[in-house]
Amino acid sequence: MSIDSQPISDGTKNEINADAFIDSTPDAKNDSEYVDRLAQAGTHATYIEGHDGAELSQEHRDYLLRRHGTLNLDPLPGHGDADPYNWTTWKKVANLILVAFHACMATFTAASIIPAYQDIAKDLNVSLQRTTYLTSLQIAILGAAPLFWRPLSNRFGRRPIFLISLICSLICNIGCAKSPTYGSMAACRALVALFISPPAAIGSAVVVETFFKKDRARYMGIWTLMLTLGVPISPFIFGFVAYRVSYRWIYWILAMINGAQFVLYVFFGPETRYLRRGVEHHGSDLKQEYLAFGRIDPTPLKAWEFVQPLKYAKYPCVVIPAAAYAMIFLFGSVLITVEIPQLFGEKFHFNVQQLGLQFLGVIIGSVIGEQIGGILSDSWMNRRARKITARPNPEFRLWLSYIGYLLTIAGLVVFLVRIQQAPEGHWNVTPIVGAAIAGAGNQIVTTVLITYAVDCYHEEAASIGVFITFVRQIWGFIGPFWFPSMFTNVGLAGSAGVATALMVGVSILPTIFLQWRGKLWR
């Protein structure tokens, strides 16, 4: 976006005066939080609160009135059409769709081979259990890899990172398709996960950088929905591919999709990283949005920034939603998706294509759930704002999360109990109805809790997205290792009770406490 950046304060090129964005008095520098705020100063230059309008020049105010018809904007855009807040709605939405679909491809790629486990095991001469590690490996890497990409995307922009992500994923998927051994396929799968991971975490930052706060949950919901749908849609589609042609065509198709994404990004994926304080922007809007591949943020890059998002483990308003969401995601998405091939294959003797069809319930449920988690969530907050004639506390949004918790619990119980009750070889639709209910609950929780955490620390949307993704993916990676033992020891119905207890203890009760104390912690 902005290649030539100059600080307004002293004219020294490629620097940002951090003390312009934090309190630089001796007392502040003795504060234990000073180091954190100093390192985040470059990020803080991107966001101007709506109540800071008095600081704007008359020219800037006139521009915003012409562009938006009001100064009642939160956050306040910069002066220029290259600022993502000043883009037209269609341009914002088109870019978000590309980013959301890219995020979908992260989980879509990981889950793509689930219905083809038996074919892969036979072809590579390995056990079925070892074959499942090709998915588990990607789940783990998808959680850790964004730690590497976040600092780079802050300095060089989102667009270059996304373009690199796609071209490298394309190459590695071709490597998977041509892999002759289990080891080579596992290595290529690991590299695919590394390169395809950025939008699965940074997408939250793109939403914050593009859309005003009043619409944030609605558009955050598009990103979270696509992230969720990648898991069930992939085996639903590739069950047909593996059954009718060959499982290796899964990798060829993934490579083709990456190529199409790359082309679309080149023409319709402008840069969203935009600093609004401490720098001057030069060059045409086209150059800033599409042709800038240099450094955007001149703040020095420090090694610790590659683990900086993990600091949110000490922030209750982030770590509690992250843990609550991870537990719901584990049972409302991972367990159902991973275990459908195992449970339905053993009990109903389904082929690969029939197994793929079982994921339709999760897809339908997730789409329905997003209507509550996204659109209703914004309406809920905006209605509250009109009633109290002030911005409501972020904790008010959490009321909607309880709907998601209860639906996930109810759906999972139906899914597991009805499979256990079904006669051998006699399929019925009730477990899939349970999966749909759980999918709806999972999607509500996903959008509500991620939006809440971002609202608490909107400047750090990218870091929060990375942290939540890390917690979710690592917990999702561990789950499939103990699911089989749980089913064997306590049965499917008993496992529903174990899962319910965990969701109540890790999700519902901490959320209640968060609503009570969240304002103080923030």
Side-chain angles (χ1 to χ4, degrees), residues 7 100 137 183 186 351 367 387 454 483:
L137 175 67
N351 61 37
V367 173
K387 183 176 180 179
V454 169
F483 289 158

PDB file of all heavy atoms in Angstrom, residues 7 100 137 183 186 351 367 387 454 483:
ATOM      1  N   PRO A   7       7.570  10.052   8.722  1.00  0.00           N
ATOM      2  CA  PRO A   7       6.925  10.509   9.939  1.00  0.00           C
ATOM      3  C   PRO A   7       6.684  12.009   9.892  1.00  0.00           C
ATOM      4  O   PRO A   7       7.539  12.769   9.464  1.00  0.00           O
ATOM      5  CB  PRO A   7       7.927  10.134  11.048  1.00  0.00           C
ATOM      6  CG  PRO A   7       9.238  10.038  10.353  1.00  0.00           C
ATOM      7  CD  PRO A   7       8.961   9.636   8.940  1.00  0.00           C
ATOM      8  N   ALA A 100     -11.869 -14.583   2.976  1.00  0.00           N
ATOM      9  CA  ALA A 100     -12.651 -15.612   3.670  1.00  0.00           C
ATOM     10  C   ALA A 100     -12.524 -16.962   2.964  1.00  0.00           C
ATOM     11  O   ALA A 100     -12.394 -18.004   3.619  1.00  0.00           O
ATOM     12  CB  ALA A 100     -14.114 -15.181   3.754  1.00  0.00           C
ATOM     13  N   LEU A 137      -1.427 -33.646  11.350  1.00  0.00           N
ATOM     14  CA  LEU A 137      -0.229 -32.839  11.133  1.00  0.00           C
ATOM     15  C   LEU A 137      -0.594 -31.442  10.653  1.00  0.00           C
ATOM     16  O   LEU A 137      -0.068 -30.434  11.147  1.00  0.00           O
ATOM     17  CB  LEU A 137       0.665 -33.540  10.106  1.00  0.00           C
ATOM     18  CG  LEU A 137       1.925 -32.805   9.649  1.00  0.00           C
ATOM     19  CD1 LEU A 137       2.911 -32.695  10.802  1.00  0.00           C
ATOM     20  CD2 LEU A 137       2.564 -33.524   8.460  1.00  0.00           C
ATOM     21  N   GLY A 183       6.245 -40.667   3.647  1.00  0.00           N
ATOM     22  CA  GLY A 183       7.083 -39.601   4.174  1.00  0.00           C
ATOM     23  C   GLY A 183       7.079 -38.365   3.299  1.00  0.00           C
ATOM     24  O   GLY A 183       6.979 -37.235   3.806  1.00  0.00           O
ATOM     25  N   ALA A 186       3.694 -36.641   3.611  1.00  0.00           N
ATOM     26  CA  ALA A 186       3.572 -35.937   4.891  1.00  0.00           C
ATOM     27  C   ALA A 186       4.358 -34.629   4.867  1.00  0.00           C
ATOM     28  O   ALA A 186       3.886 -33.597   5.367  1.00  0.00           O
ATOM     29  CB  ALA A 186       4.056 -36.832   6.031  1.00  0.00           C
ATOM     30  N   ASN A 351     -19.544 -46.564   1.696  1.00  0.00           N
ATOM     31  CA  ASN A 351     -18.376 -46.340   0.854  1.00  0.00           C
ATOM     32  C   ASN A 351     -17.940 -44.883   0.970  1.00  0.00           C
ATOM     33  O   ASN A 351     -18.560 -44.083   1.680  1.00  0.00           O
ATOM     34  CB  ASN A 351     -18.654 -46.735  -0.606  1.00  0.00           C
ATOM     35  CG  ASN A 351     -19.790 -45.929  -1.224  1.00  0.00           C
ATOM     36  OD1 ASN A 351     -19.943 -44.729  -0.957  1.00  0.00           O
ATOM     37  ND2 ASN A 351     -20.593 -46.586  -2.065  1.00  0.00           N
ATOM     38  N   VAL A 367     -24.375 -22.690   8.312  1.00  0.00           N
ATOM     39  CA  VAL A 367     -24.956 -21.544   7.598  1.00  0.00           C
ATOM     40  C   VAL A 367     -26.097 -20.935   8.394  1.00  0.00           C
ATOM     41  O   VAL A 367     -26.212 -19.705   8.519  1.00  0.00           O
ATOM     42  CB  VAL A 367     -25.430 -21.974   6.198  1.00  0.00           C
ATOM     43  CG1 VAL A 367     -26.181 -20.838   5.518  1.00  0.00           C
ATOM     44  CG2 VAL A 367     -24.249 -22.410   5.347  1.00  0.00           C
ATOM     45  N   LYS A 387     -30.761   2.213  22.679  1.00  0.00           N
ATOM     46  CA  LYS A 387     -31.538   2.246  23.914  1.00  0.00           C
ATOM     47  C   LYS A 387     -30.840   3.035  25.007  1.00  0.00           C
ATOM     48  O   LYS A 387     -31.480   3.817  25.735  1.00  0.00           O
ATOM     49  CB  LYS A 387     -31.814   0.812  24.398  1.00  0.00           C
ATOM     50  CG  LYS A 387     -32.670   0.734  25.644  1.00  0.00           C
ATOM     51  CD  LYS A 387     -32.972  -0.708  26.011  1.00  0.00           C
ATOM     52  CE  LYS A 387     -33.843  -0.785  27.268  1.00  0.00           C
ATOM     53  NZ  LYS A 387     -34.157  -2.199  27.627  1.00  0.00           N
ATOM     54  N   VAL A 454     -12.000  -9.283  19.784  1.00  0.00           N
ATOM     55  CA  VAL A 454     -11.481  -8.211  18.937  1.00  0.00           C
ATOM     56  C   VAL A 454     -12.017  -6.858  19.396  1.00  0.00           C
ATOM     57  O   VAL A 454     -11.291  -5.856  19.382  1.00  0.00           O
ATOM     58  CB  VAL A 454     -11.839  -8.478  17.463  1.00  0.00           C
ATOM     59  CG1 VAL A 454     -11.550  -7.260  16.600  1.00  0.00           C
ATOM     60  CG2 VAL A 454     -11.057  -9.683  16.939  1.00  0.00           C
ATOM     61  N   PHE A 483     -10.190 -39.403  21.463  1.00  0.00           N
ATOM     62  CA  PHE A 483     -11.584 -39.763  21.157  1.00  0.00           C
ATOM     63  C   PHE A 483     -11.799 -41.282  21.120  1.00  0.00           C
ATOM     64  O   PHE A 483     -12.750 -41.783  21.747  1.00  0.00           O
ATOM     65  CB  PHE A 483     -12.018 -39.150  19.821  1.00  0.00           C
ATOM     66  CG  PHE A 483     -12.198 -37.658  19.848  1.00  0.00           C
ATOM     67  CD1 PHE A 483     -12.127 -36.917  18.675  1.00  0.00           C
ATOM     68  CD2 PHE A 483     -12.445 -36.976  21.028  1.00  0.00           C
ATOM     69  CE1 PHE A 483     -12.290 -35.550  18.685  1.00  0.00           C
ATOM     70  CE2 PHE A 483     -12.604 -35.600  21.058  1.00  0.00           C
ATOM     71  CZ  PHE A 483     -12.520 -34.881  19.873  1.00  0.00           C
TER      72      PHE A 483
END
